[in-house]
Amino acid sequence: MINLEELNQIEKNFLNELKLIKDLKQLNDLRVKLIGRNGLITNYLKNLKDLTLEQKRFLGPKLQELKIKIENFILEKENELEYQNLIPDVDLTKPAKRLKLGHLHPLSLVEIEIRKIFSSMNFSVIDGPELELEYYNFDALNVLANHPARDVQDTFWIKDSIKDKKTNSRYLLRTHTSPMQVRYMENHHPPFQIIVPGKVYRNEALDAGHEINFYQLEGLVVSKNITLANFKFIIEEFFKRFFKGEKIEFRYRPSYFPFVEPGLELIIKYHNKWFEVAGAGMVHKHVFEYVHYNPRDFQGFAFGMGIDRLAMIKYKIPDIRLFYSGDLRFVNQF
């Protein structure tokens, strides 16, 4: 029968073999060899019945103690090997790859900057519906029924749309953000100053400067004694901040927009090139009449700018279609 010295030797051999184990198969073979159904320690425990009572009392606890110790070491080794299998074979000294984080689209960056500048000048930022009524998009803005802008070549009309009961108007995709002038004035009393950034839609022929959907910014200021001098100060201050104090020249020339009188266009000189950047004018008295303002009591100016165009000028982007291409090579530059 085995003695204490032999048990110690079995334990020593086991620990030496355990150090050399490289995978779970080798570990299982070692377990079966010692404590499996016909393992070495298992057979010694089975043969205890043939020993004397004194031998049983001495060897029984020793064998059980060794079996438990072997089981614990094997379990510990098994956990270690399983953890190692979860770790890929990598060079820990190699520099880590930079994590790719999402970032804002250039149009979003420009819109956020515009919002901040006008908010700092006490403008409120207003949102409005993209599915609009003919009444707000044209009628209440003094756009006559025979105006070419209503033609299907320019406007996306909603086919067979149900007319609005209040205004008896058809639905369309808004062609500008100007409808919010009327919507806002219907529910607010002057004085106020607002901007309305948002997406608009026009049935355009696509080229480097035209898209069927783009982003526009509408501005509206209404109070008593408002003049074009107020507009000139605000718009020039905006562009000076937008272009970070770079040298800019401003020119104003007469123009026509149905909802303003007089109307004008703003042209700026930036990096030795002239760009048309905004249309503006004093709010037409007919627009005030639609919202039940007395034109003798209030005056105001409105202006509109293309956010896409401002982004193209600022970032020197040659083609508006790049904004909507989904090409990450373009977007990742910002």
Side-chain angles (χ1 to χ4, degrees):
M1 185 59 190
I2 190 170
N3 56 39
L4 185 59
E5 183 178 347
E6 290 174 322
L7 284 177
N8 291 335
Q9 187 62 45
I10 291 173
E11 180 180 351
K12 184 178 179 181
N13 292 340
F14 162 73
L15 294 174
N16 290 333
E17 289 185 59
L18 191 66
K19 293 178 182 178
L20 302 176
I21 295 296
K22 300 297 184 182
D23 56 48
L24 293 173
K25 183 181 182 307
Q26 293 178 349
L27 183 64
N28 187 60
D29 291 342
L30 181 60
R31 182 188 64 79
V32 171
K33 174 183 173 182
L34 293 176
I35 57 175
R37 180 178 298 179
N38 296 310
L40 183 62
I41 302 300
T42 305
N43 287 331
Y44 282 136
L45 288 170
K46 290 179 180 178
N47 294 329
L48 283 175
K49 65 181 186 302
D50 300 326
L51 302 180
T52 64
L53 181 60
E54 185 178 347
Q55 289 174 322
K56 290 179 182 179
R57 288 177 176 174
F58 176 74
L59 289 175
K62 298 293 184 183
L63 286 168
Q64 287 290 352
E65 182 181 347
L66 179 57
K67 181 182 178 183
I68 293 173
K69 185 180 291 186
I70 290 173
E71 287 175 343
N72 290 337
F73 273 117
I74 287 178
L75 180 61
E76 184 178 336
K77 186 68 175 181
E78 183 179 21
N79 291 334
E80 178 185 333
L81 291 172
E82 287 179 347
Y83 178 74
Q84 289 176 355
N85 290 337
L86 294 175
I87 302 176
D89 187 14
V90 296
D91 182 2
L92 297 179
T93 63
K94 185 178 180 179
K97 291 183 179 180
R98 183 178 179 181
L99 293 176
K100 291 185 178 180
L101 301 177
H103 58 278
L104 294 174
H105 191 277
L107 290 179
S108 298
L109 293 172
V110 169
E111 183 179 327
I112 290 171
E113 187 173 4
I114 290 172
R115 286 169 174 256
K116 287 181 179 179
I117 295 172
F118 278 109
S119 294
S120 71
M121 292 191 284
N122 205 33
F123 277 74
S124 299
V125 182
I126 307 301
D127 192 17
E130 294 178 19
L131 181 64
E132 190 54 275
L133 290 170
E134 181 181 12
Y135 173 81
Y136 290 107
N137 199 83
F138 293 127
D139 296 339
L141 290 173
N142 199 39
V143 181
L144 300 178
N146 60 353
H147 195 282
R150 295 187 184 228
D151 194 272
V152 69
Q153 278 75 30
D154 294 317
T155 304
F156 287 107
W157 296 93
I158 305 303
K159 184 178 180 181
D160 300 326
S161 62
I162 300 174
K163 289 188 176 182
D164 177 65
K165 293 181 180 179
K166 178 181 176 182
T167 62
N168 195 35
S169 293
R170 296 176 294 169
Y171 284 91
L172 51 85
L173 295 179
R174 66 181 181 186
T175 60
H176 47 186
T177 48
S178 302
M180 279 307 296
Q181 289 186 35
V182 180
R183 286 185 175 276
Y184 191 84
M185 286 191 287
E186 281 183 338
N187 298 294
H188 296 82
H189 189 76
F192 53 75
Q193 47 196 58
I194 64 170
I195 59 168
V196 187
K199 184 182 286 188
V200 299
Y201 305 84
R202 293 181 189 174
N203 196 356
E204 302 270 11
L206 299 184
D207 58 33
H210 298 86
E211 253 285 1
I212 61 172
N213 64 267
F214 54 95
Y215 287 84
Q216 195 178 61
L217 175 81
E218 188 76 14
L220 176 67
V221 175
V222 179
S223 185
K224 295 182 178 180
N225 304 317
I226 292 292
T227 69
L228 283 177
N230 301 113
F231 164 73
K232 184 175 183 293
F233 171 81
I234 288 174
I235 205 67
E236 291 186 5
E237 181 67 17
F238 163 75
F239 277 106
K240 289 173 184 177
R241 297 189 193 182
F242 183 76
F243 290 110
K244 310 295 185 184
E246 294 188 53
K247 184 179 179 181
I248 303 173
E249 294 182 33
F250 299 90
R251 285 183 182 175
Y252 301 87
R253 67 185 181 193
S255 187
Y256 170 75
F257 304 100
F259 35 90
V260 293
E261 178 61 38
L264 55 88
E265 289 181 351
L266 171 62
I267 309 168
I268 65 170
K269 187 177 184 181
Y270 179 66
H271 288 177
N272 296 318
K273 291 184 179 180
W274 288 98
F275 301 95
E276 294 181 9
V277 292
M282 299 298 292
V283 178
H284 200 290
K285 67 175 184 178
H286 289 168
V287 176
F288 280 152
E289 289 169 355
Y290 270 105
V291 296
H292 307 296
Y293 285 6
N294 189 335
R296 296 180 180 180
D297 294 336
F298 299 106
Q299 292 176 273
F301 62 79
F303 59 90
M305 298 182 286
I307 294 177
D308 306 57
R309 183 159 180 77
L310 295 183
M312 292 173 72
I313 295 171
K314 184 166 188 173
Y315 296 125
K316 299 180 181 179
I317 297 169
D319 195 322
I320 191 174
R321 291 170 291 189
L322 289 171
F323 290 126
Y324 307 98
S325 66
D327 191 337
L328 292 180
R329 294 173 300 176
F330 168 73
V331 176
N332 287 338
Q333 295 179 53
F334 299 89

